[in-house]
Amino acid sequence: MIKYIGSKRALIPLILGVLDTIQRSGTEIRTALDPFTGSTRVAHSLKSRGIYVFAGDYLNFSYTLARALIAADARDYPPTLLNPILSELNALEGNPGWFTRIYSQEARFFQEKNARRIEAIRNYIEEHFSDSADLKAILLTSLILAADKVDSTTGVQMAYLKKWAPRSFNDLLLLYPPLLPGRGEAIWGDALHWVGQVEVDFAYIDPPYNSHSYLGNYHLWETLVLWDNPVVYGVARKRLDVRSKKSPFNSKRQAQEALKALLKNLRAKVTMVSFNNEGFLSLNQIVEMAKEMGFVVVIEKEHKRYIGSVIGVFNPKGEKVGEVSHTKNKEYLIVILQDSKVKRAIEERFVNVKAIQQSLF
Ligand SMILES: C[S@@+](CC[C@H](N)C(=O)[O-])C[C@H]1O[C@@H](n2cnc3c(N)ncnc32)[C@H](O)[C@@H]1O
């Protein structure tokens, strides 16, 4: 999976543990919704449990990842079918054009040898696989995963490193992506507009909680998927639409109303809201919204922060412009249930829960 700020990799065992408890208490979980799917990690772990998953995002690259890793059925795209295509792509000669110029010369996100090959492979996918949407998404996913392994950033694309990252010297290599057997759904668009159309057993809600735009942080992946030679600006050569395509969840003024509207529209037996103590909203504000929907349990986990905060804050020239404040934050899972028995089962299994509950209710 790609490096993704706010990715819930470290929380997946806890999320699955809570789901286990819910299932063992008699609530069946056959379908799930992840409308802010990002890297698709959580959706992927749910699908790997045999759950039918609807995964969505308003960014095109995340939708593309979901189309490959959640919607497509691995049995339709076995290694015997994909590996020869990937070998063909890996063997293409580099073909420098606008992508190479912008992202390896004007900005140094990739070594030129890799940017040229990314460009050649992307052009080839467009020319040869545009008539098969799933296969195209799978090949683009393989390309994004390969490019992510040779980029020269700290994990976000707001800036590139002054000194080339050691991994950027490696050669780009497309591999068979982590497809899973079984189908699912990928949905593109603003979750506020579509969540009400899907009815599920379990909804996992993980919107952005601060002003950092995911489009700004991952503009290269959006460009790689759209392949639209966009107008770019600034040292990081961001797409111009980073300035205009805004999510209400990135706005301090709008975030509370947006989350309220989203929760109100959900049609799920069990809902889990992911949240940390560094966002616009307080834990109490979210719990107040959750209480209107059912029984609420809050689970807390200390979480090591994004590595960028540990190594410091740097400008695009690599100069240190800020200090590290702290290296740990708290992650919360706010679970909303319709059955008090299930609530008690979760409280019994997860340490910490009782103490937090008492301070909140
Ligand atoms: C915190 S990240 C999700 C991380 C994900 N759970 C993971 O583990 O990778 C939030 C995601 O919400 C998406 N997003 C922001 N506003 C949105 C909206 N209005 N509708 C749908 N997706 C949105 C962002 O593009 C981003 O991928």
Side-chain angles (χ1 to χ4, degrees):
M1 301 286 168
I2 52 168
K3 300 185 282 297
Y4 209 58
I5 192 165
S7 128
K8 298 302 181 291
R9 185 163 49 104
L11 280 183
I12 287 174
L14 186 56
I15 295 169
L16 295 180
V18 174
L19 266 192
D20 266 350
T21 310
I22 293 170
Q23 284 174 308
R24 273 197 252 127
S25 314
T27 302
E28 259 190 320
I29 306 287
R30 289 205 183 134
T31 53
L33 165 68
D34 178 13
F36 302 93
T37 201
S39 68
T40 76
R41 273 186 181 86
V42 175
H44 193 260
S45 72
L46 295 171
K47 182 177 173 183
S48 71
R49 290 255 165 143
I51 297 172
Y52 188 93
V53 182
F54 299 82
D57 204 283
Y58 85 140
L59 296 183
N60 290 281
F61 71 83
S62 173
Y63 166 77
T64 300
L65 298 175
R67 179 135 200 172
L69 303 175
I70 309 303
D73 186 335
R75 292 167 298 196
D76 297 335
Y77 300 95
T80 46
L81 175 80
L82 281 189
N83 285 345
I85 304 175
L86 295 173
S87 300
E88 202 177 314
L89 297 178
N90 279 323
L92 291 172
E93 286 278 318
N95 177 11
W98 62 268
F99 185 87
T100 305
R101 175 177 47 77
I102 298 174
Y103 301 109
S104 74
Q105 293 165 3
E106 294 175 15
R108 291 193 309 275
F109 284 105
F110 297 107
Q111 301 265 356
E112 189 165 333
K113 64 170 185 175
N114 284 326
R116 288 165 172 248
R117 291 187 50 224
I118 292 171
E119 186 144 18
I121 292 169
R122 183 61 187 88
N123 280 328
Y124 194 87
I125 293 174
E126 195 65 27
E127 277 162 32
H128 294 84
F129 299 99
S130 282
D131 54 354
S132 164
D134 276 351
L135 181 55
K136 184 177 181 187
I138 290 169
L139 298 176
L140 288 177
T141 294
S142 176
L143 178 59
I144 293 173
L145 292 172
D148 186 53
K149 289 212 179 82
V150 296
D151 72 343
S152 190
T153 69
T154 59
V156 288
Q157 299 162 354
M158 301 292 282
Y160 49 88
L161 294 171
K162 183 181 173 195
K163 250 178 79 185
W164 285 110
R167 66 170 174 270
S168 71
F169 291 93
N170 296 335
D171 286 331
L172 181 88
L173 178 66
L174 274 63
L175 299 171
Y176 186 86
L179 305 181
L180 291 169
R183 283 207 65 87
E185 310 268 336
I187 300 166
W188 175 82
D190 184 341
L192 283 163
H193 294 150
W194 64 263
V195 285
Q197 292 163 29
V198 183
E199 193 170 354
V200 288
D201 297 325
F202 173 65
Y204 176 70
I205 304 302
D206 186 24
Y209 283 105
N210 59 32
S211 58
H212 296 300
S213 140
Y214 275 85
L215 182 54
N217 277 332
Y218 298 101
H219 60 98
L220 266 146
W221 302 154
E222 193 73 350
T223 295
L224 201 50
V225 162
L226 294 177
W227 207 234
D228 53 354
N229 188 3
V231 177
V232 293
Y233 69 95
V235 185
R237 313 316 272 149
K238 284 189 258 175
R239 315 167 47 83
L240 200 57
D241 57 5
V242 169
R243 287 193 171 137
S244 55
K245 187 169 168 158
K246 300 279 181 201
S247 167
F249 294 95
N250 288 133
S251 147
K252 189 168 185 178
R253 208 170 40 80
Q254 296 171 46
Q256 186 174 1
E257 279 315 305
L259 186 60
K260 223 185 241 173
L262 185 100
L263 294 178
K264 192 162 159 256
N265 280 337
L266 279 184
R267 295 198 291 155
K269 277 198 276 192
V270 177
T271 298
M272 190 186 275
V273 182
S274 252
F275 168 70
N276 68 34
N277 62 340
E278 302 188 317
F280 294 142
L281 305 178
S282 71
L283 179 58
N284 262 314
Q285 280 174 309
I286 300 188
V287 168
E288 281 310 309
M289 292 181 208
K291 281 201 292 198
E292 307 214 340
M293 298 166 62
F295 298 102
V296 179
V297 187
V298 179
I299 301 173
E300 177 188 301
K301 184 177 189 290
E302 273 214 339
H303 189 65
K304 225 169 136 217
R305 290 177 94 213
Y306 159 63
I307 188 72
S309 73
V310 180
I311 60 177
V313 183
F314 298 90
N315 70 15
K317 291 188 192 140
E319 296 153 348
K320 198 159 184 184
V321 292
E323 284 305 319
V324 179
S325 49
H326 55 287
T327 56
K328 281 205 172 144
N329 68 351
K330 283 185 179 158
E331 294 280 347
Y332 298 106
L333 291 179
I334 298 149
V335 191
I336 309 166
L337 305 138
Q338 303 311 315
D339 185 340
S340 62
K341 258 196 351 262
V342 188
K343 174 183 186 251
R344 278 195 301 279
I346 298 177
E347 284 174 337
E348 271 160 30
R349 173 153 175 212
F350 293 91
V351 262
N352 265 341
V353 173
K354 279 258 166 56
I356 303 169
Q357 293 283 100
Q358 275 157 14
S359 67
L360 282 168
F361 298 99

